[in-house]
Amino acid sequence: MRAAIIGATAVGGAGVVLGGRALLHRQAAIARTRIGKPHGEEAIDADRVWRKGFDGPPLDLLVLGDSIAAGLGAERRKDTLGARVAKGVGARIKRPVRLRTAAVVGSESSALRAQLDALPPGYRADVAVIVVGGNDVTHRVPISASVAHLTDAIRRLRSSGTAVVVGTCPDLGALRPVPQPLRALGSRLSRRLANAQAVAASAAGARPVSLRRAVGAVFISDPHEMFSLDRFHPSALGYRRTAMALVPAVVEVLS
């Protein structure tokens, strides 16, 4: 999700005149300069058993998707999205939660298959959380293709008995470093994908959570607190708020 509506999306609007394309290209270059890569390409490893103080065998939580799912931008492992969800779920169900993060920075929905393939033989999670889609938007992946990859991953997980929660594509219109009208284009495209993801997730047996509706407004109204140093990935508080939107759905699908 590094591109932040950079490059590919800048030329993505059908019917955009040549002058308009030139403007979007210039804005994409501005966004690249503003965002940079202060966090590098690797998220903190937060995989461990969380809430060890509770009795009972650990619940296995699997996190799949892109840089947000991986927790890029968090400076402490307890502040990554996976850790936040694990701690929140553990507190709700009064059990330890064993986190495994298969999400990879920069992933599109097409990478979900490889993330599942890379899991240890015989591994089965009790519940999986998927957050993906931003890179599909920036790389102009057709919605139908993006949704097909998501559906395949959900069905594969459900066939093994894993409950699934999908955090739909965040609203890229919250990214202040991206100039207008490029930001508005990204917002429109990310909303379309999020809506399609929600429909597909429900049809495949997963529980969708609209991140745009749940936390989009606070990311827009308080960007200095909600975004990390690159003003693109969530901060510790941003991940906390995002996890708060996902935890109730995870508990629900486990019931």
Side-chain angles (χ1 to χ4, degrees), residues 15-89:
V16 176
V17 297
L18 183 60
R21 288 186 178 182
L23 171 63
L24 294 180
H25 275 299
R26 288 196 298 272
Q27 292 184 335
I30 292 171
R32 279 194 297 270
T33 301
R34 289 177 177 175
I35 294 169
K37 295 184 179 182
H39 302 301
E41 297 286 350
E42 297 291 332
I44 295 174
D45 182 2
D47 289 1
R48 53 167 286 185
V49 176
W50 296 92
R51 299 298 188 188
K52 292 181 180 180
F54 290 120
D55 295 328
L59 176 99
D60 281 296
L61 167 66
L62 174 65
V63 179
L64 301 160
D66 56 23
S67 55
I68 291 179
L72 189 67
E75 297 181 357
R76 300 177 298 179
R77 61 183 182 180
K78 70 178 183 179
D79 292 325
T80 62
L81 181 64
R84 285 287 185 185
V85 172
K87 290 188 293 180
V89 171

Side-chain angles (χ1 to χ4, degrees), residues 102-244:
V104 177
V105 174
S107 290
E108 300 173 8
S109 297
S110 59
L112 293 173
R113 174 179 293 182
Q115 292 177 17
L116 288 171
D117 288 343
L119 295 173
Y123 173 81
R124 187 193 72 82
D126 294 293
V127 62
V129 172
I130 303 175
V131 179
V132 74
N135 291 313
D136 297 70
V137 174
T138 63
H139 298 158
R140 294 183 299 161
V141 176
I143 288 179
S144 59
S146 178
V147 166
H149 291 302
L150 176 63
T151 298
D152 287 344
I154 294 170
R155 288 176 175 168
R156 185 169 168 183
L157 288 162
R158 295 295 296 126
S159 69
S160 66
T162 299
V164 182
V165 171
V166 175
T168 59
C169 183
D171 185 356
L172 300 189
L175 301 174
R176 293 288 185 88
V178 180
Q180 297 288 14
L182 189 56
R183 194 192 321 155
L185 175 61
S187 179
R188 185 163 62 251
L189 295 176
S190 60
R191 290 186 184 200
R192 289 177 184 171
L193 176 56
N195 290 337
Q197 287 177 323
V199 172
S202 294
R207 169 73 159 78
V209 175
S210 172
L211 296 183
R212 177 181 67 83
R213 294 191 184 98
V215 298
V218 70
F219 272 86
I220 292 173
S221 64
D222 196 6
H224 297 295
E225 293 294 328
M226 301 303 291
F227 284 102
S228 63
L229 181 63
D230 64 5
R231 296 187 293 168
F232 185 77
H233 294 93
S235 63
L237 179 58
Y239 279 122
R240 177 184 173 189
R241 294 295 295 266
T242 303
M244 287 172 60

